[in-house]
Amino acid sequence: LSATDPDGDAMTFCRTGDSGCRFDFVEAGSDWVMQVAADAELDFEANPNSFSVTVTATDAKGAGSDQDFTITLTDLNDAPELPADTEVSIDEHANAATEVLTVEGTDPDAGQTLSFEIASGNTGDAFQLDVTDRTAIISVKTPLALDYETVPNNTFTLEITVKDNGTPERTATMTVTVTLRDVNEPPSVATTNLSVPENSLEDTLVGTVLATDPEQGASGLTFTITGGTGQGVFAIDAATGDVTVVDSTALDFENADKDEYTLAIQVTD
């Protein structure tokens, strides 16, 4: 801003109409500069997005002159917004499509289209995003990837990113920490083929049934014969899984009814 006085007096400036005190004057030699105030908030999306300011130039004797200005804001693409970082927990090996968290995206600019992605942390393709408009639902994609015993620290740290379609594109990011809850999983036992000489004596070791448990390994498991044609012919040690002979008279290779037996073994953790 500049002003001249016929008498050559120095000029001072003041403003009216700027009720929000959004603008300041700074002296620059013989001129004055009107600039945005340090604590001003100029938001195109808020009302108003234009301001009427009257500047009065006054000389040393109090004579003055007014000039009206209209300051209009130019719209810029604002970044979209996501909720604050959050933590959730789910059972390990939760079923596919189990919902983990709903994330709502917003954008100050009207008409923007938002796109979401899991930018990092999705080890084993464990999770997926189902997006509708400005809502993204995080759900389970690969249950086997949600293994409490093998996932480091039993947690996934997902970085969720949302991007608008403005110019230039703007993004926002949030972190979702998913903690796995331990679930007792059943032990597993492999089908085993064993053999023993006919007419073996009672307590003869036939073989050992091997089993393991995701939580406790091979220790602390209980073995039980629950069925099969070999019930009464063989026994199993409940703690070790050793199969032994209990009826040697039933072991007759030449008798088609006594040359092969089956056992149904139950293993309990």
Side-chain angles (χ1 to χ4, degrees), residues 50-246:
S50 66
F51 310 94
S52 296
V53 179
T54 298
V55 177
T56 301
T58 306
D59 65 14
K61 300 180 181 63
S65 177
D66 296 336
Q67 177 67 53
D68 295 328
F69 294 89
T70 298
I71 301 172
T72 302
L73 300 184
T74 302
D75 190 19
L76 299 178
N77 185 31
D78 296 306
E81 298 174 356
L82 288 174
D85 297 346
T86 189
E87 299 180 1
V88 296
S89 60
I90 60 172
D91 290 343
E92 64 171 328
H93 303 308
N95 292 333
T98 297
E99 292 188 9
V100 178
L101 182 70
T102 298
V103 176
E104 298 283 352
T106 59
D107 196 298
D109 300 307
Q112 292 279 359
T113 299
L114 302 183
S115 57
F116 297 80
E117 69 170 336
I118 303 176
S120 66
N122 194 18
T123 305
D125 207 21
F127 303 98
Q128 61 189 353
L129 289 179
D130 301 307
V131 179
T132 303
D133 194 19
R134 296 189 172 194
T135 300
I137 298 175
I138 304 173
S139 63
V140 175
K141 181 178 182 181
T142 310
L144 289 178
L146 308 180
D147 188 13
Y148 181 91
E149 284 71 35
T150 60
V151 172
N153 300 316
N154 323 120
T155 61
F156 290 84
T157 302
L158 305 179
E159 183 179 276
I160 308 300
T161 298
V162 63
K163 178 173 63 176
D164 66 18
N165 64 335
T167 303
E169 293 178 337
R170 301 290 300 276
T171 62
T173 300
M174 70 176 294
T175 298
V176 178
T177 302
V178 183
T179 300
L180 301 179
R181 294 188 294 260
D182 192 16
V183 174
N184 186 30
E185 299 166 86
S188 59
V189 58
T191 299
T192 304
N193 294 317
L194 302 175
S195 61
V196 63
E198 65 175 332
N199 303 320
S200 292
L201 298 177
E202 294 178 3
D203 295 328
T204 297
L205 177 63
V206 180
T208 301
V209 176
L210 300 177
T212 186
D213 184 87
E215 283 79 33
Q216 62 197 66
S219 62
L221 302 179
T222 302
F223 298 82
T224 308
I225 296 176
T226 59
T229 59
Q231 279 186 302
V233 179
F234 303 97
I236 192 167
D237 187 293
T240 65
D242 290 343
V243 177
T244 56
V245 176
V246 295

